[in-house]
Amino acid sequence: MTLSIDLHMDTPTKGLSSPDFSFSRRNATHHVDLPRLQESGLDAAFFASWIEPHYQELDGSGFRRAVHLLQLTRDAVEGAEGARIVTSSAQLREASREDEIGIFLAVEGGHAIQSSLERLADLADLGMRYMTLTWNHPNAWADACCAPGVHGGLNSFGREVIQAMDRLGVFPDLSHAADETFWDVLDTSQAPPLVTHSCARALVDHPRNLTDEMARAVAEKGGILGINFFPAFVDPDFCAATRALEARLGPDADWPTRRQAMGTLPVPSIERLVDHFHHLAQLAGPEFLALGSDFDGVVSLPEPIRDVADLPLLRERLRDRGFSNDELDGIFGGNFLRMLEGVDQ
């Protein structure tokens, strides 16, 4: 049985943390809730607890924030009828047999471990199945995509982190990583490489996207690339508009101001998103692609996608572009599930 999975949603930080949000009820201010997950056709989703960059200090606050968000997610899902927390492929299949949506746990931002392997193990014990190594800025042991590097990729402790993640069964997520960090992880980790929410740099020249060489390397090592829906990574015109907007706002503008301003930009068509699936499938094969929507973590989405319930529209457009049903089953979950089952065995 083919199951459908989305590899990255920011619902814990952007939804569950909001006082007016209920996971069990439909809401108008976020992309994801249980009723719309049930309409989407998904069998599972990774809920990523994004640890905001102001938790970089090694004072324990980033770790406490991660624990809080993971527990918040557990409480919300366990209190909802029709969903359950899962940590393995076997548990996901069991949830599917019971007609429940499986919610996997992840952490976005390696600063959450506060440079402690013990804290990394604690987060794994709480159910974390992948950790996005950085956000847009370097941490104490790894360089990131969108700021000057300080380590040349991973430093020596960073390599210890990757080795510990391998032992714990936690995937290192390479989205947001600097190019040097990406290659260092591929040299260090024994796990198949996982990139949960990025796109093709050949189509949109943004450091959050992968070069063709990087995408081929993911495929050659049996990994998975989840494709992000954010228009700035999908469409070159929207990317240019966001860069111009950032320049006008200046470096001191806070995130709510940036988010509000970015939300006024005209969004591209879903066809630009399909372009990335098509390019990467032609480059290295559809069998290494997956969904990595970044729902609840992005300001806008390609038209006509409004939220998670609109995922069937993407499947329809991909079929129109020439993807077979078997290829679509893989992209919508089968490819990642195959990789996960190989690690879980």
Side-chain angles (χ1 to χ4, degrees):
M1 177 176 59
T2 301
L3 301 179
S4 55
I5 305 167
D6 189 309
L7 300 187
H8 193 88
M9 298 179 182
D10 277 311
T11 306
T13 312
K14 303 293 181 65
L16 301 179
S17 293
S18 302
D20 59 344
F21 179 89
S22 171
F23 177 59
S24 297
R25 296 196 303 270
R26 188 181 303 273
N27 72 93
T29 56
H30 299 82
H31 297 142
V32 179
D33 49 44
L34 182 55
R36 286 180 291 174
L37 277 171
Q38 291 168 329
E39 295 169 8
S40 71
L42 288 175
D43 296 289
F46 275 84
F47 276 14
S49 295
W50 174 54
I51 311 305
E52 299 92 324
H54 60 265
Y55 288 105
Q56 287 279 358
E57 294 296 324
L58 301 181
D59 58 1
S61 61
F63 174 72
R64 290 192 295 273
R65 177 65 170 162
V67 170
H68 169 72
L69 289 171
L70 290 171
Q71 191 57 56
L72 189 69
T73 306
R74 281 190 171 277
D75 291 345
V77 174
E78 290 168 358
E81 186 175 349
R84 71 171 71 171
I85 297 292
V86 295
T87 60
S88 68
S89 54
Q91 288 183 6
L92 172 57
R93 291 195 181 280
E94 180 181 352
S96 177
R97 288 192 292 270
E98 299 293 329
D99 292 323
E100 292 185 317
I101 292 176
I103 302 297
F104 287 95
L105 302 177
V107 170
E108 184 172 17
H111 51 290
I113 68 169
Q114 306 277 264
S115 295
S116 165
L117 297 184
E118 289 77 15
R119 284 174 168 163
L120 170 65
D122 289 341
L123 295 181
D125 286 343
L126 289 172
M128 176 180 72
R129 280 310 308 258
Y130 75 69
M131 183 173 73
T132 309
L133 301 180
T134 66
W135 193 58
N136 287 343
H137 307 286
N139 57 39
W141 44 271
D143 287 335
C145 60
C146 301
V150 295
H151 308 297
L154 292 175
N155 64 18
S156 58
F157 179 73
R159 292 181 182 274
E160 291 183 38
V161 171
I162 302 304
Q163 292 164 352
M165 292 175 75
D166 282 357
R167 294 192 297 272
L168 293 166
V170 176
F171 289 103
D173 173 24
L174 292 163
S175 294
H176 290 277
D179 291 5
E180 296 84 358
T181 302
F182 174 95
W183 294 112
D184 282 350
V185 172
L186 262 63
D187 286 341
T188 305
S189 178
Q190 300 302 308
L194 177 63
V195 185
T196 66
H197 59 300
S198 296
C199 294
R201 203 179 299 178
L203 301 186
V204 177
D205 187 12
H206 193 291
R208 275 284 284 106
N209 290 341
L210 297 190
T211 66
D212 284 358
E213 182 185 11
M214 296 161 80
R216 286 193 196 95
V218 170
E220 289 169 359
K221 288 182 171 287
I224 293 294
L225 171 57
I227 295 182
N228 196 313
F229 294 9
F230 184 37
F233 307 150
V234 165
D235 180 75
D237 292 336
F238 192 97
C239 183
T242 59
R243 285 173 169 161
L245 179 64
E246 292 281 347
R248 289 198 303 273
L249 292 175
D252 296 327
D254 60 21
W255 173 240
T257 300
R258 294 173 186 275
R259 185 181 182 90
Q260 182 178 9
M262 201 177 300
T264 66
L265 298 175
V267 297
S269 161
I270 193 175
E271 296 303 328
R272 301 291 73 77
L273 174 59
V274 173
D275 289 344
H276 288 262
F277 282 94
H278 186 266
H279 173 80
L280 292 165
Q282 293 293 312
L283 181 73
E287 64 273 13
F288 86 108
L289 299 182
L291 304 178
S293 64
D294 216 355
F295 284 134
D296 283 335
V298 297
V299 176
S300 55
L301 295 161
E303 291 183 341
I305 298 176
R306 298 161 300 176
D307 54 43
V308 67
D310 287 331
L311 279 177
L313 296 175
L314 175 60
R315 187 176 179 112
E316 178 183 331
R317 298 298 176 88
L318 289 168
R319 184 183 294 111
D320 291 344
R321 194 69 75 90
F323 287 88
S324 70
N325 285 331
D326 285 346
E327 290 169 341
L328 291 172
D329 285 347
I331 291 169
F332 274 69
N335 295 338
F336 175 76
L337 187 59
R338 181 184 65 248
M339 185 182 83
L340 182 63
E341 286 173 333
V343 172
D344 285 346
Q345 290 174 357

